[in-house]
Amino acid sequence: MPDRSWREALAAYASPASMALLLLGFAAGLPAVLVFSTLSVWLREAGVSREAIGFASWISLAYAFKWVWSPMLDQWRLPGLGRLGRRRSWLVFSQISIALGLVGMALCDPQLNLTLMIAFAVVVAFSSATQDIAIDAYRLEIAEDHLQATLAATYMTGYRVAMLLASAGALFLAEWLGSTGLDYDAGAWTLTYLAFALLIVPGLITSLVIREPQASPQVVNAPVHSFNLQLASIGLLLVLLISVPAMINALIAQAWPRALLYALFIAGSLSPAGRSLLVPVRHILKDARLRQKPTQTDFAHQAVSVIVLIILLVATTGMFQSYWGGYWPRGTMYLLISTACLSAPGRVLMSPVMTPISDFIVRYRWQALILLGLIATYRMSDTVMGVMANVFYIDQGFTKDEIASVSKLFGLVMTLLGAAAGGLLIVRFSILPILFLGGFASAATNLLFMILAGRGADLQMLVLTISFDNFSAGLASTAFVAYLSSLTNLKFSATQYALLSSLMMLLPRVLGGYSGVMVEHMGYSQFFL
């Protein structure tokens, strides 16, 4: 028996929360496309190789690792902006950073300074991922579970409208300003990205006028040390962590001036003045040595927790690479570092980050592995293929106008129809049947891309393929967001949702970085298969 009538399902779309998510979805959709598919067209027109474009897509791994810094959004307000509230302060900060990063990208020509452009794109990606964390937490906290599918659908609508502007709109604008596949014009792309930096302003205004959600139960924050002292302490800790191995490498390479420079950094950090600044970190390390978990979590605890977790991830990866390559001494060193991070004191240091993760595992027990496996592979085909989608259309012979009209404009309509259908069906029935339907349909549409690959610039086949692909993507996305929301504990809303949504993107994004290499060696038909 359905829980609610069709009228109740439709009425949910008119709530103030839905309107807020519509506008925030627009703010989230712009940067995600400008550092992904639209950037790939710019790079291709500038003559950048397909392999380099594929590897450049690893910029989007920022979205896959956003769970690393998500605890800071759960338990810490930004200084100055903090008066706006925990969620809104991070929204405003991330949106300002996105706009500045887009301006930096606009002022770069990939033919002359590709590295600098990629650096600005990384800033945009990390800021956009931070914005996504804040938006997801805001969505989870302003409405109950039965409205989450509706909020997901309205969020997806705003997101897709922004994607239309940042993809089709950007392609149309760049073409109109004079940049074509045969006649590349860096100035046209500069003006295009500057225009889209201005489109961040509506999202910024939305963040300033929406209400801050009522805070859910959190770890009590009563910092013993001032924020400035904590920030200085973490800064010196990073200097030490970077300088010590760098000095050792410089000594091994007999680069004496560089080794002396790092030695001075270390000496300054350990001087009486440096030790006084390191007081917050020293207290944290003392508690960890005594195996005392912190009763309060401030910025320093969060930062140390993230730093230790990053060290663990890097050391574990380095250990496997070293042992695989036969570098046993280096592998053993990484093994010892990983063991130290996983020791009792190391687990205490990581507790601010690991507590939300362990909460998920405790609540679902052995089923957690099944759930994580489903999340990691659900959007695999769409994400991996999406890296090369625009490059594929160009290589097939479609013009930018055709790509913008069919793949972006018409595709948006089909995506919105799919998202709206998903929201209605989930409210009318339940999540799991629609989740299965969306996943099956999304994977099956790759067969249509295989057919298109053998037909060249067949516009009718492109329309058919985009129709099915985007409708199923909208349906699957709405169902999946609603499903992830149902798995989240509101006490750790930002962290847990960021972890789950990051896991969804991690493996596909990593494989997507090799998509250009796969196309070069396999061809498009085998790639889609």
Side-chain angles (χ1 to χ4, degrees), residues 118-159:
I118 295 300
F120 280 118
V122 169
V123 172
V124 175
F126 272 94
S127 301
S128 176
T130 302
Q131 178 185 229
D132 289 351
I133 298 169
I135 293 175
D136 290 332
Y138 179 83
R139 173 176 55 80
L140 292 169
E141 292 172 358
I142 62 173
E144 298 178 354
D145 286 346
H146 71 275
L147 290 176
Q148 289 299 326
T150 302
L151 296 184
T154 54
Y155 171 84
M156 189 62 62
T157 300
Y159 193 95

Side-chain angles (χ1 to χ4, degrees), residues 73-297:
L73 277 72
D74 260 335
Q75 303 189 33
W76 182 56
R77 290 187 183 186
L78 287 166
L81 293 174
R83 59 187 177 84
L84 296 174
R86 186 157 46 97
R87 300 306 179 201
R88 294 196 301 154
S89 63
W90 281 103
L91 283 173
V92 170
F93 172 77
S94 59
Q95 288 158 356
I96 292 174
S97 300
I98 290 168
L100 294 177
L102 289 176
V103 170
M105 291 180 65
L107 300 178
C108 295
D109 183 354
Q111 289 185 339
L112 303 175
N113 41 24
L114 178 61
T115 301
L116 183 60
M117 168 179 275
I118 295 300
F120 280 118
V122 169
V123 172
V124 175
F126 272 94
S127 301
S128 176
T130 302
Q131 178 185 229
D132 289 351
I133 298 169
I135 293 175
D136 290 332
Y138 179 83
R139 173 176 55 80
L140 292 169
E141 292 172 358
I142 62 173
E144 298 178 354
D145 286 346
H146 71 275
L147 290 176
Q148 289 299 326
T150 302
L151 296 184
T154 54
Y155 171 84
M156 189 62 62
T157 300
Y159 193 95
R160 292 294 178 173
V161 169
M163 289 183 69
L164 171 65
L165 290 176
S167 53
L171 298 184
F172 276 131
L173 184 57
E175 185 97 14
W176 181 73
L177 290 172
S179 182
T180 66
L182 299 177
D183 187 16
Y184 168 66
D185 183 359
W189 284 104
T190 294
L191 293 176
T192 298
Y193 268 66
L194 287 175
F196 280 95
L198 289 176
L199 287 178
I200 301 298
V201 173
L204 181 60
I205 295 174
T206 301
S207 299
L208 291 171
V209 300
I210 57 176
R211 67 177 179 85
E212 177 75 10
Q214 184 177 358
S216 57
Q218 299 290 330
V219 178
V220 176
N221 284 321
V224 175
H225 306 286
S226 69
F227 172 75
N228 290 335
L229 180 58
Q230 293 181 61
L231 189 61
S233 183
I234 296 300
L236 279 181
L237 176 63
L238 290 174
V239 169
L240 282 171
L241 292 174
I242 294 172
S243 298
V244 171
M247 184 185 69
I248 295 173
N249 287 332
L251 290 173
I252 294 174
Q254 296 183 350
W256 311 117
R258 190 165 72 243
L260 177 61
L261 176 64
Y262 287 123
L264 292 176
F265 287 154
I266 297 171
S269 301
L270 297 178
S271 67
R275 290 200 303 271
S276 66
L277 291 177
L278 283 170
V279 167
V281 169
R282 289 163 56 192
H283 285 173
I284 294 170
L285 295 177
K286 178 181 177 182
D287 290 342
R289 181 170 54 84
L290 299 175
R291 303 183 183 183
Q292 296 177 355
K293 291 186 177 181
T295 57
Q296 55 193 26
T297 305

Side-chain angles (χ1 to χ4, degrees), residues 227-427:
F227 172 75
N228 290 335
L229 180 58
Q230 293 181 61
L231 189 61
S233 183
I234 296 300
L236 279 181
L237 176 63
L238 290 174
V239 169
L240 282 171
L241 292 174
I242 294 172
S243 298
V244 171
M247 184 185 69
I248 295 173
N249 287 332
L251 290 173
I252 294 174
Q254 296 183 350
W256 311 117
R258 190 165 72 243
L260 177 61
L261 176 64
Y262 287 123
L264 292 176
F265 287 154
I266 297 171
S269 301
L270 297 178
S271 67
R275 290 200 303 271
S276 66
L277 291 177
L278 283 170
V279 167
V281 169
R282 289 163 56 192
H283 285 173
I284 294 170
L285 295 177
K286 178 181 177 182
D287 290 342
R289 181 170 54 84
L290 299 175
R291 303 183 183 183
Q292 296 177 355
K293 291 186 177 181
T295 57
Q296 55 193 26
T297 305
D298 53 18
F299 171 76
H301 283 87
Q302 292 284 355
V304 169
S305 180
V306 171
I307 290 171
V308 175
L309 181 60
I310 293 174
I311 291 174
L312 174 62
L313 294 175
V314 172
T316 303
T317 304
M319 178 186 66
F320 284 114
Q321 290 179 339
S322 298
Y323 282 143
W324 181 266
Y327 302 104
W328 297 98
R330 185 185 305 169
T332 302
M333 179 189 69
Y334 284 128
L335 175 61
L336 294 174
I337 295 174
S338 301
T339 302
C341 292
L342 293 174
S343 65
R347 293 197 302 272
V348 171
L349 290 175
M350 289 191 291
S351 61
V353 169
M354 299 305 295
T355 298
I357 299 173
S358 61
D359 170 81
F360 179 82
I361 296 174
V362 168
R363 283 191 295 123
Y364 292 101
R365 298 185 182 278
W366 63 270
Q367 296 178 357
L369 293 177
I370 299 176
L371 293 174
L372 294 177
L374 169 66
I375 293 167
T377 57
Y378 185 74
R379 301 304 306 277
M380 176 79 74
S381 61
D382 285 353
T383 305
V384 174
M385 192 192 73
V387 177
M388 284 290 119
N390 283 339
V391 177
F392 166 66
Y393 300 143
I394 292 175
D395 290 345
Q396 286 291 102
F398 294 107
T399 66
K400 284 209 299 294
D401 287 345
E402 290 174 332
I403 297 172
S405 299
V406 178
S407 174
K408 309 305 179 186
L409 183 58
F410 178 70
L412 171 70
V413 175
M414 299 306 299
T415 301
L416 295 181
L417 289 175
L424 285 173
L425 291 172
I426 290 171
V427 174

